[in-house]
């Protein structure tokens, strides 16, 4: 038997509470495997990256004038391919 590779993806969408994409929106990804990257969402707010097995990721989403949000994704022990979905709504500073 040959087992298929485990493919782990993180896909998301970033928007303000009103559904628009804030200018200068960003996504920072820091992994326990040494991953350190900064992503920009596309014009409709979508973003994504391939996650590595046996890794914990800290994901920070934000934009100037908005309160940042942090998420943790853990791929430890995952034995099946999976897409982890994050839908992020940013709230403006008051």
């Amino acid at each position: 038997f040959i087992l298929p590779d485990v493919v782990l993806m993180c896909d998301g969408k970033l928007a303000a509470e009103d559904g628009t994409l804030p200018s200068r929106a960003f996504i920072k990804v820091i992994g326990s495997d040494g991953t350190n990257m900064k992503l920009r969402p596309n014009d409709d707010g979508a973003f994504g990256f391939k996650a590595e097995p046996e890794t914990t990721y800290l994901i920070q989403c934000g934009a100037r004038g908005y309160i940042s949000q942090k998420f943790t994704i853990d791929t430890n022990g995952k034995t099946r391919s999976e897409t982890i979905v994050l839908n992020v709504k940013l709230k403006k500073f008051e």
Side-chain angles (χ1 to χ4, degrees):
F1 290 101
I2 298 174
L3 295 175
D5 290 338
V6 175
V7 179
L8 301 167
M9 298 295 298
C10 178
D11 289 336
K13 187 160 184 170
L14 177 65
E17 286 183 317
D18 65 4
T20 62
L21 178 64
S23 63
R24 295 199 241 172
F26 66 87
I27 300 95
K28 290 182 185 176
V29 180
I30 299 171
S32 61
D33 65 346
T35 300
N36 188 350
M37 63 180 136
K38 189 171 185 177
L39 307 172
R40 297 265 182 219
N42 65 18
D43 291 340
D44 68 352
F47 65 91
F49 66 94
K50 183 178 181 215
E52 295 298 324
E54 307 303 320
T55 305
T56 301
Y57 293 95
L58 174 63
I59 301 169
Q60 179 184 7
C61 301
R64 182 171 286 179
Y66 291 82
I67 299 169
S68 294
Q69 291 192 32
K70 293 181 183 177
F71 304 90
T72 302
I73 293 175
D74 188 358
T75 63
N76 289 297
K78 302 265 185 195
T79 57
R80 295 182 182 179
S81 294
E82 180 179 344
T83 299
I84 301 161
V85 178
L86 292 176
N87 288 310
V88 183
K89 296 283 186 193
L90 296 178
K91 185 176 182 179
K92 276 194 166 199
F93 283 122
E94 305 232 354

